[in-house]
Amino acid sequence: MELSAGNRTGTRLEDQVKDWSSRHRTGLVVALWAVIVLLIVGYSVREPVKDWWLAREACGGQLPTEDLEIVRTDLRLGKTEESFDAETGTYSCVLRNENDRAVISVDTYPAGHDRDQLLGFAGSSRPPDAVLPGGLPGFEEDPGIVHLMPECPHGVLSATEKREAEKREAEEKAVPERRRLLVRTRTPSVHSPAEKAAMLRLAVRMTNVVTEKAGCGGKPLPAPADGAVPDEGALVPRARAKGTACDALATGRVPAAGRDGEVRIAIADGGIVGRCTLRATEAYPDARKGMSIVELTSWLGDWGPRVHEMGSDPDPLPMGRGAARRPALTEHRAWAVARCDGDDVGFAARWGQDYPDRHRKPGTTYVPPTEAERYEQRVLLREYVSAFGADQMRRGACTDLELPEKPEKPERSE
């Protein structure tokens, strides 16, 4: 029934609107709810779509979807960044979550100051935390941080490397060098074996991507075997280390604290860094159970001059190229050098972090070692590095092993 003129209170247009809304009230309510539902659905869909897009675009779209899903947490993805400098060969990419924490990051380091700093820091934090399987040229520095050093014979050179290469080429007896690119992949949230396996696959995949991008020209790294993970090394009784890469700790003279100890073997074929660790396992007046007694380490490549192995040596290892790379010996560590298939190689022997320690007991006063004791420490360390280096020479295509000179015996005992 139409409203009478007496019931109409507004203009004709307003009355028409009221008439229309009265007749279509149900439809308006339905439409309003439809809009609300669409807004809710749109918001709920937006975040997964953003996740999919960021995962698809991160690191040039080269991250394998399945492996990325394994290493990321349940947090939404937030943003991605990528850069590449063709002149220097420097590449960087990072995928972050909604809290601005890195899910995965990949960075390359050509020879120069930045690489020296990174390798110096890695070398000072007791590498390797784990060695890599399948002959991969690298190591795991800490859980979730993988360093790979693939060959890069045709890659770009930094300004520093160019100057050094020109200087070496000018020398009559310059030795051809195997150039490598350092690629660091970091996945902070990995813990389980499945996550570590995915991390390793991602690291190898991205290393092959960036070496191709930089025009390295070397062979791609082989994909890890199914389920392969970084290996922290086998811990075996000292006697069982005989004949292994850690034979020097099984057959040589060792302090009494380690005679019935165990040896951790963390050396892999093709590895960049390897370590043999002699540990105490029995109660002994001069050692705690599980304490590191002796460390043997092999180093491949040019690490620069800044490595303080395990962060506690009084002097850096002489690891630079040319005259700076030379044998050395103190009562703290011994260092030998060689050439292995075009690469510089170094072998180190040093005492463990807590051995020898004369002021371990609370309240006791530090007593420095006598000259005779310092001489004996140097003798033992030279024996270790000599045996370790000679064994590694037999196992690989290595030449020109240079050992530190024998220490001079003190004229009289103190």
Side-chain angles (χ1 to χ4, degrees):
M1 179 179 70
E2 292 187 4
L3 294 172
S4 65
N7 293 329
R8 298 179 185 276
T9 58
T11 65
R12 180 178 180 80
L13 178 60
E14 289 173 341
D15 291 339
Q16 289 176 341
V17 171
K18 290 179 181 179
D19 289 344
W20 184 88
S21 61
S22 178
R23 290 194 300 270
H24 297 84
R25 182 173 299 164
T26 301
L28 288 172
V29 172
V30 172
L32 178 60
W33 278 109
V35 171
I36 293 173
V37 170
L38 286 174
L39 290 173
I40 294 173
V41 171
Y43 181 81
S44 63
V45 170
R46 181 177 68 87
E47 291 302 318
V49 169
K50 180 182 177 183
D51 267 18
W52 171 82
W53 178 256
L54 288 172
R56 179 181 179 274
E57 293 298 306
C59 298
Q62 297 293 335
L63 297 176
T65 303
E66 292 183 2
D67 291 331
L68 179 58
E69 283 297 317
I70 293 173
V71 302
R72 61 171 292 193
T73 65
D74 292 334
L75 291 173
R76 296 292 187 189
L77 299 179
K79 62 181 178 180
T80 180
E81 304 163 10
E82 184 182 26
S83 64
F84 175 61
D85 187 330
E87 183 176 350
T88 64
T90 303
Y91 173 87
S92 176
C93 78
V94 60
L95 174 62
R96 301 183 184 277
N97 63 26
E98 60 187 352
N99 290 344
D100 206 33
R101 299 285 182 87
V103 174
I104 180 171
S105 62
V106 182
D107 297 281
T108 66
Y109 297 85
H113 176 73
D114 289 344
R115 188 173 79 171
D116 285 349
Q117 276 197 322
L118 181 66
L119 289 177
F121 179 80
S124 300
S125 59
R126 197 179 183 275
D129 187 78
V131 295
L132 304 184
L136 292 172
F139 64 97
E140 186 182 32
E141 175 193 348
D142 284 316
I145 302 178
V146 172
H147 296 273
L148 285 165
M149 298 175 72
E151 294 183 31
C152 194
H154 303 147
V156 294
L157 298 175
S158 68
T160 300
E161 193 175 23
K162 285 180 181 178
R163 290 194 297 270
E164 292 178 350
E166 291 171 357
K167 181 179 179 181
R168 291 190 294 272
E169 288 172 1
E171 299 176 0
E172 294 182 2
K173 296 183 180 181
V175 180
E177 296 169 358
R178 176 171 291 174
R179 294 214 308 273
R180 295 179 181 272
L181 182 68
L182 173 62
V183 184
R184 179 181 185 260
T185 303
R186 183 171 176 265
T187 48
S189 299
V190 299
H191 301 287
S192 70
E195 291 169 341
K196 284 183 170 289
M199 168 196 71
L200 189 58
R201 291 192 296 267
L202 283 166
V204 172
R205 164 68 177 169
M206 290 308 301
T207 296
N208 287 336
V209 167
V210 298
T211 51
E212 182 178 358
K213 196 176 186 70
C216 281
K219 294 181 180 179
L221 299 180
D226 186 37
V229 298
D231 183 7
E232 295 181 358
L235 193 62
V236 302
R238 179 174 171 247
R240 287 180 51 192
K242 187 175 182 179
T244 70
C246 301
D247 181 84
L249 295 178
T251 58
R253 297 185 301 142
V254 299
R259 288 173 190 164
D260 296 321
E262 295 176 315
V263 177
R264 177 193 174 208
I265 304 172
I267 293 184
D269 292 338
I272 296 295
V273 185
R275 185 176 296 276
C276 301
T277 305
L278 175 63
R279 307 196 326 169
T281 57
E282 294 184 357
Y284 189 80
D286 201 28
R288 296 188 302 273
K289 183 176 181 179
M291 186 185 73
S292 171
I293 305 297
V294 182
E295 302 273 1
L296 304 180
T297 319
S298 60
W299 305 78
L300 184 145
D302 178 18
W303 288 66
R306 296 181 175 83
V307 175
H308 290 258
E309 192 180 36
M310 293 169 57
S312 60
D313 284 317
D315 300 304
L317 294 175
M319 301 176 76
R321 289 194 180 278
R325 194 177 185 91
R326 63 190 186 281
L329 178 66
T330 70
E331 66 266 28
H332 304 288
R333 56 140 173 90
W335 177 247
V337 298
R339 294 281 296 179
C340 293
D341 195 22
D343 271 311
D344 285 327
V345 178
F347 307 107
R350 54 152 293 135
W351 303 114
Q353 284 182 304
D354 300 322
Y355 187 89
D357 187 350
R358 288 170 162 257
H359 56 290
R360 186 181 305 114
K361 294 180 181 180
T364 58
T365 303
Y366 171 71
V367 179
T370 65
E371 183 59 34
E373 288 172 330
R374 288 196 293 268
Y375 168 76
E376 181 62 18
Q377 290 173 9
R378 289 193 291 268
V379 168
L380 283 175
L381 289 175
R382 186 181 185 279
E383 288 179 4
Y384 299 146
V385 80
S386 299
F388 183 51
D391 182 76
Q392 294 296 307
M393 295 286 286
R394 288 191 294 269
R395 294 173 182 272
C398 302
T399 59
D400 303 324
L401 177 64
E402 296 181 46
L403 301 174
E405 295 183 2
K406 292 183 179 180
E408 293 185 8
K409 190 171 184 178
E411 295 182 2
R412 61 184 179 84
S413 300
E414 296 179 9

